């Protein structure tokens, strides 16, 4: 079986000590640039293993567990009304 970075078992990655930057990005659902930014901000911890940058799983778990619950924002109140008015003009 061929291993693919995009085939991440929901819990399997937690059993490793480190993740590659690419796999960490996939687990978090962000870009690799965002992973490096999170490192720069001190959120993720990197280690050099055999000459490669690796992300500690402990720091990934800490980030996941500290994430705030998502709630729908009430943005664009006026914009939404304007869009609804336009749609009702067109569609009746």
């Amino acid at each position: 079986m061929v291993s693919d970075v995009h085939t991440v078992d929901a819990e399997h990655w937690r059993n490793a000590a480190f993740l590659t930057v690419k796999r960490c990005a996939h687990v978090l659902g962000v870009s690799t640039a965002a992973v490096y930014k999170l490192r720069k901000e001190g959120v993720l911890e990197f280690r050099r293993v055999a000459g490669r940058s690796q992300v500690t799983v402990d720091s990934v778990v800490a980030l996941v567990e500290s994430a705030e619950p998502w709630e729908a924002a009430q943005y664009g109140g006026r914009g939404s009304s304007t869009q609804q008015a336009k749609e009702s003009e067109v569609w009746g």
Side-chain angles (χ1 to χ4, degrees):
M1 180 175 184
V2 177
S3 177
D4 186 335
V5 72
H6 299 292
T7 326
V8 178
D9 181 326
E11 293 297 322
H12 242 30
W13 64 269
R14 290 178 183 249
N15 296 327
F18 304 102
L19 298 174
T20 63
V21 172
K22 189 173 183 178
R23 187 159 187 203
C24 177
H26 181 73
V27 166
L28 295 175
V30 299
S31 67
T32 56
V35 172
Y36 285 108
K37 182 179 178 190
L38 289 167
R39 178 194 154 268
K40 186 176 181 180
E41 294 171 353
V43 175
L44 291 176
E45 188 176 309
F46 278 40
R47 293 283 187 258
R48 179 72 68 185
V49 180
R52 295 187 58 176
S53 296
Q54 302 282 314
V55 184
T56 65
V57 169
D58 289 342
S59 68
V60 177
V61 169
L63 174 60
V64 169
E65 290 178 353
S66 70
E68 296 177 20
W70 179 86
E71 293 182 21
Q74 298 299 320
Y75 295 119
R78 184 173 155 241
S80 295
S81 303
T82 304
Q83 183 63 32
Q84 288 173 356
K86 287 180 183 177
E87 288 174 359
S88 78
E89 286 175 16
V90 172
W91 300 106

